[in-house]
Amino acid sequence: MPVIESAVDVTSEAFAQNREAMESLVADLKREIDRAHHERSPKAMDRLKEVDKLPADKKLDLLLDKNTPFLEIAPLAAKDLYDGKVHGAGIRAGIGIVAGREVVVSVNDATIKGGSMYPMSVKKTLRLQAICMENRLPAVNLMDSAGAFLPLQSEIFPDLDDGGRVFYNQAMMSKMAIPQITAVMGLCTAGGAYGAAMSDEIIHVKGHGAIFLGGPPLVLAATGEEVTSDELGGPDLHCAQSGVSDYYAEDDAHAIALVREIVANLPRPEKARLTLRPPAPPLYDPKELYGIIPRNISTPYDIREVFARMVDGSEFIEFKEMYGPTLVCGWAHIHGYPVGLLGNNGVLFPQSAQKATQFIQICDNRGIPLVFVQNISGFIVGKQYEQTGVTKDGHKMVNAVATASVPKFTLLAGASFGAGNYAMCGRAYSPRFLWMWPNAEIGVMGGQQAADVLVTITNDQNARLGKPPLTPEEEAFIRQPIIDKARQEGNAYYSTANLWDDGILDPAKTRDVLGMAISAALNAPLRDDRYGFGVFRM
């Protein structure tokens, strides 16, 4: 395969300045993730020890196979939301290897508000279930939850994608024969009780595991009956009398050992097959990405330089190189897996969209996963381009992206604005996974552009009313709040806090994350029953 020849001068001043800026962003990211994992109150940690429970990171360490990778999902969910201390939305979760099998793992962190479920906790749980269903991955839940955070119950309970959807999804996962294994390691109250009971197999921990629809305070208030948590929903009751639970565990470590045994006993369906080749590292150091990505998001760069540090051997067969050059398409391998790559080198023109549509159809026909690398401000606008059909050509691309049934993966490596986000397989287009780099920005449009639009609209309105145009001071009064709001709500941390993505990545680790994600996706068929495309407007 042809090799991408890098044109980057790694000794240049611009490279050094870019590298310094990205290293600072990556250092900030590592600090935030470490904080999310470990910032807990001494009181909460002491309480955990008093009742002989293991912390979430220790549970993960015991559950996962030694020296295997763990693809964490949304570690910074709910960052700066609520009181700023509901780290990871109160859940440690990701795709890991248990007894040699890829599974989705979810661990309630009881040191965060007693494991209470916040609105973002529900959203994260639904996302994890979607990953299970899309990729046919077993679900392992280590549960310890005080139930819904009642002051926010109206944001958790009633709607289509609120708490009830978790149990609906569990029923659908069971219908799809996706194994669900739950270890009850603390309180599983109200909805938490259903979450456990709707699993295939339940391990119940002696001493602090309890399942009940209403806890002792509610029972006392409702019936006048005084009862302890253990009497109401402990393992002796549910393993020996009610039959809710299936296995009796002496402690957390024993429960995790039982989980591993159950996973080891699961049937091993054959994974979807791709034409693999031996993996090989890129010719160029992935850490050179730090110096390639510009400090200013509006500064263009060649997306091929990113590909060269992401794919095996830096080898890339480019498709239609001379046609629609603002979109780069082609074939490569990542950790031995064949992929179709699409990356932006500018705004999308009609020809770019036409090329993408053809390329996506080819990959879908051949069963080749698609990887979208976004750095896009949108489609070209203007009378000339409307005359030549940019809207209908954009429709073709969006249609192809939406209906392609091979696994899709998306990386936001810079700008992600407007219809460009959609056309390059944004979250609404159901990529199996979507990540951002710490420099990425997302929104309907950039803050400066949005401010310019509003100023233009206001001046047009003034002209129709016979008023003078805005003064520079009035323009600044309009512009700055819009720019500030776009900066606040368009950055990567705001996105990941709201679960618009599956996490922020260190650019140098993107290749490895993609390899893990592709491997996980192959647990499901390459194509679903809806294979094929809709109507393309000609």
Side-chain angles (χ1 to χ4, degrees):
M1 292 176 69
V3 172
I4 298 173
E5 294 187 11
S6 178
V8 172
D9 180 2
V10 297
T11 65
S12 69
E13 180 65 22
F15 185 93
Q17 291 174 349
N18 288 341
R19 181 182 60 204
E20 182 180 1
M22 183 59 79
E23 285 175 343
S24 177
L25 291 174
V26 170
D28 289 343
L29 173 62
K30 290 178 179 178
R31 279 193 296 271
E32 289 296 335
I33 291 177
D34 182 73
R35 177 171 167 255
H37 287 171
H38 301 115
E39 184 184 74
R40 305 292 185 270
S41 72
K43 182 179 178 181
M45 297 304 295
D46 290 343
R47 175 61 180 159
L48 210 65
K49 292 178 183 177
E50 287 173 12
V51 295
D52 199 28
K53 291 182 180 180
L54 295 176
D57 54 357
K58 180 62 175 176
K59 290 177 181 178
L60 278 172
D61 185 55
L62 291 175
L63 178 66
L64 301 173
D65 292 0
K66 301 302 179 187
N67 302 314
T68 58
F70 180 61
L71 178 54
E72 187 160 10
I73 302 297
L76 300 179
K79 173 179 159 49
D80 297 330
L81 300 180
Y82 315 121
D83 63 359
K85 297 180 181 178
V86 186
H87 300 298
I91 302 169
R92 287 288 302 275
I95 300 173
I97 310 298
V98 177
R101 177 76 178 268
E102 289 163 318
V103 302
V104 172
V105 177
S106 176
V107 184
N108 292 112
D109 191 336
T111 62
I112 298 176
K113 314 294 185 183
S116 295
M117 295 289 283
Y118 283 71
M120 279 297 161
S121 313
V122 172
K123 188 172 182 179
K124 185 169 180 176
T125 301
L126 294 173
R127 174 62 189 143
L128 295 170
Q129 291 179 322
I131 290 171
C132 288
M133 290 186 280
E134 290 171 351
N135 302 289
R136 303 297 195 276
L137 292 171
V140 170
N141 299 307
L142 308 186
M143 293 188 70
D144 186 355
S145 174
F149 183 67
L150 293 179
L152 298 177
Q153 62 88 22
S154 65
E155 299 176 41
I156 296 171
F157 173 70
D159 209 349
L160 173 67
D161 289 325
D162 285 342
R165 193 70 176 188
V166 172
F167 315 127
Y168 172 90
N169 284 347
Q170 285 190 267
M172 297 307 294
M173 289 165 66
S174 181
K175 182 178 179 180
M176 295 167 69
I178 295 173
Q180 300 173 73
I181 301 155
T182 294
V184 177
M185 296 177 149
L187 297 180
C188 291
T189 306
Y194 288 116
M198 296 190 72
S199 303
D200 296 344
E201 297 178 76
I202 301 172
I203 301 100
H204 205 140
V205 179
K206 174 184 175 182
H208 48 253
I211 303 172
F212 34 61
L213 296 183
L218 180 58
V219 170
L220 179 63
T223 70
E225 180 183 12
E226 293 189 21
V227 63
T228 67
S229 291
D230 196 54
E231 292 169 336
L232 188 61
D236 290 306
L237 172 79
H238 284 313
C239 287
Q241 296 183 50
S242 75
V244 169
S245 301
D246 307 303
Y247 306 91
Y248 191 104
E250 294 293 332
D251 54 27
D252 286 353
H254 183 208
I256 291 170
L258 290 171
V259 170
R260 289 182 52 82
E261 290 176 9
I262 293 167
V263 173
N265 193 47
L266 293 175
R268 302 294 171 109
E270 187 173 336
K271 295 176 75 169
R273 291 190 177 185
L274 294 173
T275 304
L276 306 180
R277 72 177 199 180
L283 295 182
Y284 311 99
D285 185 352
K287 282 198 170 182
E288 290 179 359
L289 290 169
Y290 293 176
I292 291 168
I293 307 305
R295 291 156 290 156
N296 187 331
I297 198 168
S298 62
T299 302
Y301 64 92
D302 189 350
I303 203 68
R304 296 177 187 84
E305 299 289 357
V306 173
F307 293 170
R309 289 152 183 86
M310 185 185 295
V311 303
D312 291 3
S314 302
E315 295 178 343
F316 181 64
I317 300 176
E318 188 162 350
F319 176 73
K320 283 187 183 297
E321 179 180 0
M322 299 173 66
Y323 186 81
T326 58
L327 184 71
V328 179
C329 303
W331 289 278
H333 289 75
I334 294 176
H335 280 284
Y337 299 111
V339 295
L341 286 167
L342 299 93
N344 302 116
N345 263 357
V347 298
L348 290 166
F349 284 81
Q351 296 89 342
S352 316
Q354 293 167 15
K355 176 166 74 171
T357 303
Q358 182 183 356
F359 180 72
I360 291 166
Q361 287 179 292
I362 292 172
C363 289
D364 206 48
N365 279 338
R366 296 177 183 174
I368 297 175
L370 292 161
V371 177
F372 296 81
V373 184
Q374 291 194 16
N375 182 29
I376 179 68
S377 58
F379 282 86
I380 192 68
V381 296
K383 180 179 178 181
Q384 172 189 346
Y385 301 105
E386 293 295 349
Q387 288 176 334
T388 55
V390 66
T391 299
K392 70 177 182 181
D393 290 326
H395 138 76
K396 294 186 186 76
M397 182 177 178
V398 168
N399 191 326
V401 170
T403 53
S405 59
V406 291
K408 298 173 287 191
F409 308 87
T410 303
L411 170 68
L412 274 57
S416 178
F417 295 133
N421 170 278
Y422 300 157
M424 289 295 291
C425 201
R427 189 68 135 181
Y429 288 76
S430 294
R432 297 288 181 92
F433 299 92
L434 182 148
W435 305 277
M436 299 183 82
W437 281 352
N439 64 300
E441 295 181 15
I442 185 170
V444 174
M445 61 183 69
Q448 186 64 54
Q449 190 177 10
D452 289 345
V453 169
L454 189 57
V455 166
T456 299
I457 290 172
T458 304
N459 278 329
D460 289 345
Q461 290 173 339
N462 287 349
R464 286 196 300 271
L465 296 171
K467 295 181 179 179
L470 296 171
T471 66
E473 292 78 13
E474 289 170 331
E475 286 191 10
F477 183 78
I478 290 175
R479 287 179 190 277
Q480 200 56 50
I482 296 172
I483 294 171
D484 292 344
K485 189 173 181 63
R487 186 178 294 118
Q488 174 194 351
E489 297 183 355
N491 70 72
Y493 286 108
Y494 190 91
S495 169
T496 208
N498 286 280
L499 278 161
W500 298 346
D501 57 64
D502 294 313
I504 304 173
L505 300 183
D506 175 348
K509 296 182 179 179
T510 302
R511 161 184 163 80
D512 293 337
V513 169
L514 279 167
M516 287 188 281
I518 295 168
S519 175
L522 296 182
N523 285 279
L526 274 177
R527 298 192 186 95
D528 60 28
D529 294 336
R530 298 166 295 172
Y531 172 68
F533 295 89
V535 175
F536 291 117
R537 183 172 295 281
M538 304 308 290

